[in-house]
Amino acid sequence: MTNFTDEDLDNYLQNQVDLRHRQVSKSVEDVQKIIKDLTAEVSSKDARFQSIANSGVHNASLKDQPALVSKWSALLRGRCAYNPAIQVLTPTLFLISVPLQGLMGYKERRTRQWRYYTLSGSRLLSPVREPEKLHQWLELESFVNPNQEWHDARMIIEGDIVPAKVVNVFKEHLEASIKTCGLTSKVSMLESVGSVVRVAVETSEAQIEVELVPTVELMNYWPKRARWPRLFRRWPSTERARCIKSFGFNLMATSNYHWLLSFSRAEQVLLSNIDEDGGCRRKCYRVVRQLKEDVWCPGSKPVITAYHLQTLLFWTCEKYPCTRDWRDFRGCVLRLVQKLYKCVSQHYLRHYFVRSHNLLKYSNTNELDDVAKKINNFLDNPGTYVH
């Protein structure tokens, strides 16, 4: 067995991981500018959709909550240059949430159980499938003060805000905005997968596939099904967890009828502040992510993405909360890889906030098994890959 040292890992970080980071950062910068212009144009046509410049704590609905904005800025100062709307799933696949406006005063309420309508609004004899663990219905009555523009049959059926219909309206505006902004040479519409709008964006580094998802941003509210932090856990601290929950969650229009719960702001704060004690957690994450993209699971549509690795890192931090657990760089990398192997080989990775949901539930099992074999080969001779 060929092993590696901390020095090997540091060289790997400098020669491989940092290069990737610079390339991805440039792509993010290019994509962000283009999508910012496009969504601003969409917003000028339909004010229910906002520019991505107004995402997260920059949302117009938070102008009267300066304390929350200040808290967010303090937590991420000097740690994160990315727009909070952008999630880098792979170097050539980005997920961008497009904030929605005009839905104020959210309150979780007991919703009626069955729906009997198609997306065109006609009546069904049997009910639509109920949402799964990480999804929910969204009714207009869930908001204390929705703008009048949301009382629109193009988006509402029987009182429900229907994600597929919201996406259709957004897609129409986006197609028109690409022409209006003169971006037809840089942005092209791709065939949609389900209810997700997909575009290809030409950057100076590569062609990036971007998934654009209309998103309801809910600040200062934490969903009941996300029972977090768990009892008797020492990571993160109680104070940090309370702070994170104040940033709320999102509901994303990724399926026909149901809205997907997303905790991207909470995850961003957790990851950005993960090494406050001087540990090597983030370095380990970056090394494992590079190995995944180069060796175990390359390509633009991998079965394992950066989001899976980030979730795995959070679970590992919770299990090993002490500073001394994150001093041995080499040992910590191997521990994270071993945990990844276990999750991939068992086809099971719990969502960090809604732990009853398995993130690998619908993943291709053959692809997972292939990744597990590659990870196992790495564990047999890790030095071969890092050298």
Side-chain angles (χ1 to χ4, degrees):
M1 173 174 146
T2 307
N3 220 320
F4 56 82
T5 65
D6 282 11
E7 184 180 357
D8 293 328
L9 286 172
D10 284 327
N11 289 332
Y12 186 70
L13 273 173
Q14 293 174 15
N15 298 324
Q16 298 292 327
V17 181
D18 288 349
L19 174 62
R20 171 208 175 274
H21 180 73
R22 289 192 295 272
Q23 292 171 337
V24 170
S25 294
K26 186 64 173 68
S27 294
V28 169
E29 184 181 324
D30 292 346
V31 169
Q32 178 174 288
K33 184 180 184 306
I34 290 171
I35 301 301
K36 180 181 174 181
D37 291 344
L38 278 176
T39 50
E41 178 63 26
V42 168
S43 185
S44 71
K45 301 176 187 296
D46 189 334
R48 290 172 295 191
F49 302 99
Q50 294 192 77
S51 164
I52 64 167
N54 297 325
S55 63
V57 294
H58 305 295
N59 195 300
S61 64
L62 288 182
K63 288 180 179 178
D64 60 344
Q65 299 186 50
L68 192 64
V69 176
S70 177
K71 191 192 307 180
W72 173 268
S73 300
L75 282 169
L76 296 185
R77 186 174 293 120
R79 291 188 173 97
C80 185
Y82 291 175
N83 184 304
I86 301 175
Q87 295 182 55
V88 178
L89 301 179
T90 77
T92 56
L93 176 63
F94 298 176
L95 173 66
I96 301 182
S97 56
V98 180
L100 297 174
Q101 183 173 251
L103 297 169
M104 305 287 289
Y106 176 78
K107 186 175 182 181
E108 205 165 349
R109 61 196 295 272
R110 185 181 294 277
T111 185
R112 67 187 193 281
Q113 187 173 11
W114 306 113
R115 269 71 168 176
Y116 292 88
Y117 57 77
T118 66
L119 292 176
S120 62
S122 56
R123 193 72 179 169
L124 287 172
L125 295 176
S126 57
V128 176
R129 181 171 59 87
E130 279 289 277
E132 297 195 24
K133 304 288 186 184
L134 212 60
H135 290 80
Q136 69 170 62
W137 300 104
L138 186 60
E139 298 177 79
L140 202 57
E141 290 183 2
S142 298
F143 300 92
V144 174
N145 188 28
N147 287 2
Q148 188 60 38
E149 290 88 345
W150 282 98
H151 296 268
D152 180 354
R154 292 183 303 163
M155 294 188 178
I156 306 293
I157 301 178
E158 296 184 8
D160 288 331
I161 306 173
V162 182
K165 294 176 78 67
V166 173
V167 167
N168 284 339
V169 173
F170 172 70
K171 186 177 180 181
E172 290 174 11
H173 290 317
L174 183 67
E175 288 175 335
S177 297
I178 292 173
K179 297 175 183 176
T180 305
C181 293
L183 290 170
T184 52
S185 63
K186 291 187 175 181
V187 183
S188 56
M189 300 292 297
L190 299 175
E191 184 179 351
S192 295
V193 177
S195 293
V196 177
V197 174
R198 298 165 58 242
V199 297
V201 179
E202 297 293 339
T203 74
S204 58
E205 296 294 328
Q207 183 183 84
I208 308 298
E209 181 179 325
V210 178
E211 297 181 350
L212 293 165
V213 184
T215 300
V216 182
E217 299 182 326
L218 303 169
M219 300 288 186
N220 268 326
Y221 193 93
W222 194 256
K224 294 176 182 176
R225 71 182 70 186
R227 296 177 180 176
W228 181 87
R230 282 159 279 281
L231 292 174
F232 311 117
R233 295 293 183 182
R234 291 187 290 165
W235 186 90
S237 67
T238 302
E239 182 182 352
R240 176 55 51 82
R242 189 183 302 116
C243 173
I244 286 171
K245 291 174 76 170
S246 71
F247 295 121
F249 71 110
N250 293 337
L251 291 171
M252 305 183 75
T254 57
S255 66
N256 286 337
Y257 294 95
H258 311 132
W259 294 78
L260 173 70
L261 278 75
S262 165
F263 300 86
S264 57
R265 284 184 299 282
E267 291 157 352
Q268 191 173 8
V269 172
L270 277 174
L271 190 61
S272 297
N273 294 272
I274 206 163
D275 284 324
E276 284 183 319
D277 61 0
C280 62
R281 301 167 187 83
R282 194 176 182 92
K283 287 169 65 177
C284 293
Y285 166 72
R286 294 178 67 196
V287 166
V288 173
R289 183 179 61 188
Q290 186 72 38
L291 287 165
K292 179 206 79 74
E293 290 169 358
D294 287 348
V295 183
W296 307 328
C297 198
S300 60
K301 286 297 182 73
V303 68
I304 299 295
T305 68
Y307 184 76
H308 295 108
L309 299 184
Q310 176 182 281
T311 301
L312 180 70
L313 178 65
F314 293 157
W315 280 117
T316 309
C317 289
E318 189 171 291
K319 185 171 182 180
Y320 299 95
C322 299
T323 303
R324 64 176 180 271
D325 296 324
W326 296 94
R327 294 300 189 196
D328 175 12
F329 189 15
R330 174 186 164 278
C332 291
V333 167
L334 289 175
R335 180 172 64 200
L336 200 58
V337 175
Q338 288 162 353
K339 288 188 173 297
L340 177 62
Y341 172 72
K342 180 179 179 181
C343 290
V344 173
S345 59
Q346 294 180 351
H347 309 164
Y348 191 81
L349 174 59
R350 289 182 297 172
H351 189 278
Y352 183 61
F353 294 105
V354 183
R355 59 185 304 175
S356 58
H357 177 74
N358 176 17
L359 291 173
L360 300 179
K361 182 176 181 179
Y362 296 110
S363 300
N364 184 302
T365 56
N366 290 331
E367 291 181 20
L368 288 174
D369 291 340
D370 185 50
V371 172
K373 290 178 183 176
K374 292 178 180 178
I375 297 174
N376 190 50
N377 290 339
F378 169 86
L379 289 170
D380 286 341
N381 284 289
T384 304
Y385 299 85
V386 174
H387 283 302

